Amino acid sequence: MLENDHMATWAGGYQGKVKSMLPCEGEEVLCLTANRFSPPATIIHAPGDGRAHRAEFETATGLGTFLDVALTQAGAVFPSIPEASADEVVAYQEEHGERLPELVFTGIEVYTGVTIEQAAVAAGDLPSVHLLMP
Protein backbone atom coordinates (compact mmCIF):
# COMPACT_ATOMS: atom_id res chain seq x y z
CA MET A 1 0.00 0.00 0.00
CA LEU A 2 1.11 3.55 -0.62
CA GLU A 3 0.28 6.20 1.94
CA ASN A 4 1.12 9.82 2.63
CA ASP A 5 1.22 11.90 5.82
CA HIS A 6 -2.32 12.64 7.07
CA MET A 7 -3.76 9.84 4.94
CA ALA A 8 -1.42 7.13 6.26
CA THR A 9 -4.19 5.12 7.84
CA TRP A 10 -2.55 1.69 7.98
CA ALA A 11 0.86 2.93 9.10
CA GLY A 12 -0.68 5.17 11.74
CA GLY A 13 -3.10 2.54 13.00
CA TYR A 14 -0.58 -0.26 12.96
CA GLN A 15 2.01 1.81 14.83
CA GLY A 16 -0.69 2.82 17.28
CA LYS A 17 -1.43 -0.88 17.82
CA VAL A 18 -5.01 -0.77 16.56
CA LYS A 19 -5.81 -4.47 16.84
CA SER A 20 -7.97 -4.59 13.71
CA MET A 21 -5.01 -3.30 11.68
CA LEU A 22 -2.51 -5.89 12.87
CA PRO A 23 -1.64 -8.36 10.09
CA CYS A 24 -2.92 -11.88 10.54
CA GLU A 25 -0.53 -14.80 10.64
CA GLY A 26 0.55 -15.48 7.05
CA GLU A 27 -0.67 -12.07 5.81
CA GLU A 28 2.10 -9.91 4.36
CA VAL A 29 1.78 -6.12 4.33
CA LEU A 30 4.21 -3.81 2.59
CA CYS A 31 3.54 -0.13 3.19
CA LEU A 32 5.39 2.79 1.63
CA THR A 33 4.61 6.09 3.29
CA ALA A 34 6.02 9.42 2.16
CA ASN A 35 5.55 10.91 5.64
CA ARG A 36 5.66 14.42 4.22
CA PHE A 37 4.14 15.75 7.45
CA SER A 38 6.72 13.96 9.62
CA PRO A 39 9.70 12.76 7.51
CA PRO A 40 11.48 10.57 6.66
CA ALA A 41 9.77 8.48 3.99
CA THR A 42 9.47 4.95 5.34
CA ILE A 43 8.94 1.36 4.30
CA ILE A 44 7.05 -0.79 6.82
CA HIS A 45 7.20 -4.51 6.09
CA ALA A 46 5.06 -6.99 7.98
CA PRO A 47 6.19 -10.27 6.39
CA GLY A 48 3.48 -12.45 7.90
CA ASP A 49 5.19 -13.47 11.11
CA GLY A 50 3.27 -11.07 13.36
CA ARG A 51 6.06 -8.48 13.38
CA ALA A 52 6.74 -5.36 11.34
CA HIS A 53 10.10 -3.98 10.32
CA ARG A 54 10.74 -0.36 9.41
CA ALA A 55 13.32 1.09 7.07
CA GLU A 56 13.74 4.66 5.94
CA PHE A 57 14.02 5.22 2.22
CA GLU A 58 17.72 4.72 1.37
CA THR A 59 18.16 1.96 3.96
CA ALA A 60 17.21 -1.72 4.26
CA THR A 61 15.37 -3.44 7.10
CA GLY A 62 18.65 -5.07 8.09
CA LEU A 63 17.11 -8.54 8.21
CA GLY A 64 18.72 -9.75 5.00
CA THR A 65 15.32 -10.58 3.49
CA PHE A 66 14.49 -10.81 -0.20
CA LEU A 67 13.03 -7.31 0.19
CA ASP A 68 16.41 -6.02 1.38
CA VAL A 69 18.12 -7.76 -1.54
CA ALA A 70 15.68 -6.25 -4.06
CA LEU A 71 16.10 -2.74 -2.62
CA THR A 72 19.88 -3.10 -2.61
CA GLN A 73 20.02 -4.38 -6.19
CA ALA A 74 17.80 -1.50 -7.31
CA GLY A 75 20.28 1.00 -5.82
CA ALA A 76 17.74 2.15 -3.19
CA VAL A 77 20.03 1.27 -0.26
CA PHE A 78 22.55 4.06 -0.08
CA PRO A 79 26.04 3.49 1.30
CA SER A 80 26.62 4.66 4.84
CA ILE A 81 29.53 5.24 7.17
CA PRO A 82 31.53 3.13 8.20
CA GLU A 83 30.97 0.88 5.15
CA ALA A 84 31.95 3.80 2.90
CA SER A 85 33.85 7.02 3.32
CA ALA A 86 32.01 10.27 3.98
CA ASP A 87 32.98 11.46 0.49
CA GLU A 88 31.54 8.29 -1.09
CA VAL A 89 28.31 8.64 0.87
CA VAL A 90 27.89 12.29 -0.16
CA ALA A 91 28.75 11.52 -3.81
CA TYR A 92 26.17 8.70 -3.96
CA GLN A 93 23.48 10.86 -2.36
CA GLU A 94 24.19 13.71 -4.77
CA GLU A 95 24.10 11.38 -7.77
CA HIS A 96 21.06 9.28 -6.79
CA GLY A 97 19.18 11.22 -4.10
CA GLU A 98 16.69 12.84 -6.46
CA ARG A 99 15.88 9.40 -7.91
CA LEU A 100 15.40 7.72 -4.51
CA PRO A 101 11.62 7.20 -4.81
CA GLU A 102 12.13 5.68 -8.26
CA LEU A 103 14.82 3.35 -6.92
CA VAL A 104 12.61 2.28 -4.01
CA PHE A 105 9.68 1.62 -6.36
CA THR A 106 11.95 -0.46 -8.59
CA GLY A 107 13.05 -2.59 -5.64
CA ILE A 108 9.45 -3.00 -4.47
CA GLU A 109 8.36 -4.01 -7.98
CA VAL A 110 11.07 -6.66 -8.13
CA TYR A 111 10.09 -7.98 -4.70
CA THR A 112 6.32 -8.03 -5.26
CA GLY A 113 6.07 -8.51 -9.01
CA VAL A 114 3.57 -5.62 -9.05
CA THR A 115 4.32 -2.66 -11.31
CA ILE A 116 3.61 0.68 -9.68
CA GLU A 117 3.07 3.51 -12.14
CA GLN A 118 4.88 6.41 -10.49
CA ALA A 119 3.16 9.05 -12.62
CA ALA A 120 -0.21 7.77 -11.37
CA VAL A 121 1.06 7.91 -7.78
CA ALA A 122 2.28 11.49 -8.23
CA ALA A 123 -1.04 12.49 -9.79
CA GLY A 124 -3.07 10.76 -7.09
CA ASP A 125 -4.66 8.45 -9.64
CA LEU A 126 -3.38 5.11 -8.34
CA PRO A 127 -6.18 2.56 -8.18
CA SER A 128 -6.36 0.34 -5.14
CA VAL A 129 -5.54 -3.33 -5.46
CA HIS A 130 -5.99 -6.05 -2.88
CA LEU A 131 -4.12 -9.25 -3.68
CA LEU A 132 -5.05 -12.46 -1.94
CA MET A 133 -2.51 -15.24 -2.08
CA PRO A 134 -3.62 -18.87 -1.69
Side-chain angles (χ1 to χ4, degrees):
M1 77 186 62
L2 301 173
E3 298 187 331
N4 188 15
D5 45 274
H6 294 114
M7 292 180 251
T9 55
W10 185 83
Y14 180 76
Q15 293 169 16
K17 304 297 182 203
V18 175
K19 291 200 184 283
S20 65
M21 295 181 126
L22 297 175
C24 297
E25 189 70 29
E27 177 183 45
E28 180 174 10
V29 176
L30 184 59
C31 177
L32 304 179
T33 179
N35 281 339
R36 288 197 171 99
F37 180 71
S38 180
T42 305
I43 299 168
I44 304 171
H45 184 214
D49 61 2
R51 297 177 300 160
H53 309 279
R54 298 173 52 94
E56 294 178 9
F57 278 29
E58 83 180 53
T59 66
T61 65
L63 299 173
T65 62
F66 290 123
L67 173 60
D68 286 351
V69 171
L71 290 168
T72 300
Q73 289 177 344
V77 177
F78 287 15
S80 61
I81 299 171
E83 292 84 27
S85 72
D87 289 340
E88 290 170 319
V89 169
V90 169
Y92 195 91
Q93 288 173 334
E94 287 177 354
E95 182 177 349
H96 301 288
E98 196 170 297
R99 294 184 45 234
L100 181 57
E102 173 189 343
L103 300 173
V104 169
F105 275 53
T106 299
I108 297 299
E109 287 176 7
V110 168
Y111 177 73
T112 63
V114 175
T115 300
I116 303 166
E117 180 56 49
Q118 293 177 52
V121 172
D125 295 332
L126 187 67
S128 71
V129 176
H130 181 193
L131 302 175
L132 296 175
M133 304 304 278

